[in-house]
Amino acid sequence: YVVIQAADSDQAHNFAVMNTTLAAGYTQQDVHTALMKPIGVYDIVAGATPEFSTTKAPRGKPMFGMHRDEVSSLAAQCKATWRYENGRLQMVPENAYLADAIVLNAQTGLIGMPEQTINGGINVKCLINPNIQLDTLIRLDNKSINQVGLSNQEIATGSTAGASVQQPAVLDMDGDYIVKNIAYYGDTRGNAWYQDMI
C-alpha cells in the first residue's frame, strides 16, 4: 500500500519569515497586508478575513520571526482561526462560516446517526463530499442526533462537590452546525469513502 502525507502550503508554513516594521498609526488591516508579502513568493493569496479593527496603534510595530507566529498573533486579536487552504490564507472568526448550509441526511450521504458529545461538538460521518470543507455550515435534523445524557454518578458528583458538571454539546435549534474538523477515509479496494467531522 501507499501512504501519502500531504500538507497544504508546507513551504510557506515552514520557511516564510517576517522582517519588517510598521510605522505608528498602523491598523490590523496594515498588519494583514504586511503578512501577505512573504507568502506571496509561494503563490499564496488572501482568502477569508475577519472584520479588522480600525483602531490606530500609537507606536510602531517590529515584525520579525516566523510568519506563522505573526499570523497566529493577528488571528488571536481578531478571535479567529487561520489556516492555509488551496493556496489561500484563510482567517475565519470563531463563529463564522464560509458557505451556505449543506443539508445532510440519509439521502444526501449521511452515514449512521450523528452523535452528541460532552463539550466536544457533534460527531458526523458522511460520504466524501468535496463541497464540505472546514468552516462550512451543515444542516442536520436534530431528531436524528444520538444525544448523550449524564449518568447519575456524574450528576451526584457535580451537585455534592459543588464542581461544575460537564454538559453535553449544545444543539442548535435550526440544526445548523459549523464544521471544525474533518478526517477522510478511503479504500481503493473497498467501499469505504467517508469523512468524519466535528
Side-chain angles (χ1 to χ4, degrees):
Y1 62 91
V2 177
V3 175
I4 299 173
Q5 182 175 349
D8 202 337
S9 306
D10 186 60
Q11 287 185 316
H13 186 265
N14 289 319
F15 303 116
V17 294
M18 296 296 300
N19 185 14
T20 189
T21 57
L22 298 177
Y26 72 88
T27 63
Q28 288 182 340
Q29 179 62 60
D30 297 326
V31 174
H32 185 265
T33 301
L35 287 170
M36 293 311 301
K37 290 178 184 175
I39 57 176
V41 297
Y42 300 103
D43 296 324
I44 298 173
V45 297
T49 56
E51 186 174 331
F52 293 123
S53 169
T54 56
T55 303
K56 294 186 178 182
R59 290 179 289 278
K61 175 181 176 67
M63 300 177 73
F64 179 80
M66 295 304 294
H67 177 269
R68 61 180 179 254
D69 296 333
E70 293 288 346
V71 176
S72 295
S73 176
L74 178 61
Q77 293 171 27
C78 299
K79 296 182 180 176
T81 58
W82 73 275
R83 67 180 179 277
Y84 297 115
E85 182 178 40
N86 298 325
R88 293 181 177 273
L89 175 64
Q90 303 276 35
M91 195 176 294
V92 184
E94 293 171 355
N95 293 319
Y97 53 90
L98 298 179
D100 291 334
I102 296 175
V103 177
L104 274 184
N105 54 42
Q107 287 73 39
T108 60
L110 182 66
I111 304 293
M113 294 177 65
E115 295 183 348
Q116 182 184 34
T117 65
I118 301 292
N119 287 337
I122 310 296
N123 292 338
V124 181
K125 178 184 263 187
C126 70
L127 297 175
I128 292 177
N129 183 339
N131 295 322
I132 301 176
Q133 300 290 330
L134 291 177
D135 296 311
T136 298
L137 190 69
I138 62 171
R139 182 164 294 142
L140 302 170
D141 180 0
N142 281 341
K143 294 176 186 171
S144 71
I145 297 175
N146 187 11
Q147 298 184 29
V148 299
L150 298 174
S151 68
N152 291 336
Q153 181 178 0
E154 288 173 315
I155 294 171
T157 303
S159 60
T160 58
S164 61
V165 178
Q166 290 186 334
Q167 296 296 319
V170 178
L171 298 181
D172 181 76
M173 291 184 65
D174 297 323
D176 290 345
Y177 302 93
I178 301 172
V179 177
K180 291 298 183 183
N181 188 301
I182 304 176
Y184 297 94
Y185 301 94
D187 185 354
T188 57
R189 298 172 185 265
N191 295 321
W193 289 98
Y194 305 133
Q195 61 187 60
D196 286 342
M197 302 174 289
I198 300 174

